[in-house]
Amino acid sequence: MTATAGIEKLKGTWEYVDGEHFDDYMKEIGVGFALRQSAKLIKPKLIIKENDGKWILKSESTLKSATYEFVPGVEFDETRLDGENVKSVITFEKDKWFHTMRDKSGKESTIARWVDAQGQQQIEMKAGNVTARRWYKRAD
């Protein structure tokens, strides 16, 4: 699965700008109240890299940091920041990156990432009937 020029634009370091409905999304995927309250206050930095077809996404914040490596289209085990173990697969479709997670009960959520016309990384998260958004500006 080859990365398009639009996917290539996601590489780099990104700083959190703003978001909407993130608490609703976290609640929908089963994140507990205390962690949701803490998560509202953090402004994570994202680092996206690629090396010989293996991609790395690193999320850094004062609360928690996480790194996962993946090959597009290949399912992998992921531990979400709330500690929940999920099965994930990331695919590239045109200029968007789709990250689908399935928890042990079979509930799915999907995160789409892309770079918009203003050069900001847009992230759209969907679970059940909830859609949340976050956006980031390039830091490097």
Side-chain angles (χ1 to χ4, degrees):
M1 186 174 296
T2 345
T4 63
I7 295 293
E8 291 287 333
K9 287 181 191 172
L10 286 166
K11 290 180 184 175
T13 303
W14 299 86
E15 292 175 353
Y16 178 78
V17 175
D18 206 352
E20 57 190 19
H21 308 298
F22 188 56
D23 187 65
D24 296 333
Y25 170 78
M26 289 189 298
K27 187 175 185 180
E28 183 68 22
I29 64 170
V31 176
F33 179 77
L35 188 54
R36 289 200 324 268
Q37 294 309 303
S38 301
K40 282 187 205 178
L41 306 173
I42 62 169
K43 296 182 177 182
K45 178 168 76 170
L46 300 177
I47 301 159
I48 298 174
K49 302 179 199 175
E50 181 261 339
N51 186 12
D52 284 338
K54 183 170 270 194
W55 288 73
I56 299 162
L57 185 133
K58 189 176 204 176
S59 173
E60 297 178 340
S61 74
T62 52
L63 181 65
K64 283 194 174 190
S65 294
T67 301
Y68 56 85
E69 296 183 9
F70 66 93
V71 174
V74 177
E75 187 176 74
F76 62 98
D77 293 318
E78 178 184 356
T79 302
R80 292 190 322 215
L81 288 172
D82 66 344
E84 180 80 22
N85 292 317
V86 295
K87 294 283 187 188
S88 292
V89 66
I90 296 174
T91 56
F92 299 155
E93 296 174 30
K94 297 188 180 170
D95 291 337
K96 289 188 178 181
W97 147 331
F98 292 94
H99 181 168
T100 303
M101 291 176 276
R102 191 177 57 256
D103 69 17
K104 60 182 175 276
S105 69
K107 185 172 197 161
E108 279 194 3
S109 64
T110 304
I111 300 171
R113 298 175 188 276
W114 69 94
V115 177
D116 68 14
Q118 289 73 44
Q120 288 196 335
Q121 182 180 158
Q122 297 292 321
I123 301 176
E124 186 178 82
M125 298 157 278
K126 292 183 180 184
N129 295 321
V130 176
T131 299
R133 290 182 54 235
R134 299 186 110 184
W135 49 99
Y136 291 74
K137 65 181 180 185
R138 192 171 288 285
D140 55 359

